[in-house]
Amino acid sequence: GAGVSQSPSNKVTEKGKDVELRCDPISGHTALYWYRQSLGQGLEFLIYFQGNSAPDKSGLPSDRFSAERTGGSVSTLTIQRTQQEDSAVYLCASSQGLTAETQYFGPGTRLLVL
Amino acid sequence: AQSVTQLGSHVSVSEGALVLLRCNYSSSVPPYLFWYVQYPNQGLQLLLKYTSAATLVKGINGFEAEFKKSETSFHLTKPSAHMSDAAEYFCAVSTNTGNQFYFGTGTSLTVIP
């Protein structure tokens, strides 16, 4: 595709439910990032995938958060047993994976946990 | 470790006035520095980046930023603000020792007609 796409664009869920957020990176981009953007906060790094290497999970806030990337392309971020503090915009970005390479961001998924 | 501080979560300027958005970084190794812009209801897009070439970097839409190592700063400027510049601006740092990016908390720019 022309850019990074994310789905759904909006998600409302009840506390305790699991949610899955999807990211389709730009074709050919080997690096994929997930960030969380909360009101009044910057972008909080969550996880980074680079090619076939083990992902950098150092930013995941708890073991309720996990992510996978299948076939080096599409990625899914899963949040189990959602809490109200998980409400935020979840952003995905991809890049060619080279040092200091520009990241291209998707439009984000706005998650609201009631 | 790397980090970014953006002074001023909200900045208001009059149309035609100078835009100055501040960014200070902390890095134990030579940094790469970025400014991203997020227009309302849109994703983030790159404005400009510094990767150890010229210290004055020009970006899109008339923006530029100057890397000042002695001040650990990478402030974003534009000589004359346009209404269309109203957006959220994020400064970010990365290094050649990893591909993790550290973003600031953002500065919301309002342009007053």
Side-chain angles (χ1 to χ4, degrees):
Chain A
V4 178
S5 60
Q6 293 184 245
S7 61
S9 54
N10 290 281
K11 177 72 176 178
V12 181
T13 190
E14 293 179 348
K15 177 182 173 180
K17 301 284 189 183
D18 297 351
V19 296
E20 285 190 352
L21 312 180
R22 177 187 168 105
C23 172
D24 282 86
I26 292 173
S27 178
H29 279 188
T30 60
L32 187 148
Y33 302 77
W34 282 99
Y35 295 91
R36 179 168 67 178
Q37 184 179 20
S38 304
L39 190 64
Q41 306 290 322
L43 273 69
E44 176 188 6
F45 166 78
L46 296 177
I47 188 169
Y48 159 61
F49 296 90
Q50 172 58 56
N52 295 320
S53 302
D56 177 353
K57 303 180 181 180
S58 60
L60 294 178
S62 77
D63 59 8
R64 296 187 295 105
F65 288 72
S66 63
E68 62 179 23
R69 188 178 185 192
T70 54
S73 181
V74 172
S75 177
T76 302
L77 176 69
T78 302
I79 308 174
Q80 296 178 309
R81 305 181 302 281
T82 52
Q83 303 295 311
Q84 289 183 333
E85 59 263 29
D86 299 334
S87 297
V89 177
Y90 289 83
L91 296 171
C92 174
S94 71
S95 78
Q96 293 185 349
L98 304 175
T99 300
E101 193 66 33
T102 299
Q103 293 183 64
Y104 294 86
F105 283 81
T109 293
R110 188 174 300 274
L111 174 66
L112 178 61
V113 182
L114 300 177
Chain B
Q2 292 76 41
S3 67
V4 165
T5 301
Q6 290 184 243
L7 292 176
S9 57
H10 298 277
V11 171
S12 293
V13 299
S14 298
E15 190 174 15
L18 172 72
V19 176
L20 171 61
L21 305 182
R22 299 179 185 275
C23 173
N24 288 87
Y25 70 90
S26 173
S27 178
S28 56
V29 296
Y32 300 124
L33 295 158
F34 305 77
W35 275 100
Y36 281 83
V37 60
Q38 186 176 31
Y39 296 105
N41 301 314
Q42 295 186 29
L44 277 81
Q45 59 181 281
L46 182 72
L47 264 182
L48 50 80
K49 65 180 179 181
Y50 165 77
T51 57
S52 74
T55 56
L56 181 62
V57 181
K58 295 185 184 298
I60 62 172
N61 300 335
F63 283 92
E64 62 182 37
E66 186 173 8
F67 171 68
K68 291 187 176 181
K69 183 177 179 180
S70 61
E71 298 178 7
T72 61
S73 69
F74 191 59
H75 301 331
L76 182 70
T77 61
K78 182 174 180 177
S80 176
H82 293 169
M83 296 298 294
S84 59
D85 294 329
E88 188 88 14
Y89 292 79
F90 293 93
C91 184
V93 62
S94 181
T95 72
N96 61 2
T97 59
N99 273 323
Q100 198 173 115
F101 285 69
Y102 299 88
F103 283 81
T105 52
T107 297
S108 177
L109 177 65
T110 300
V111 182
I112 303 167

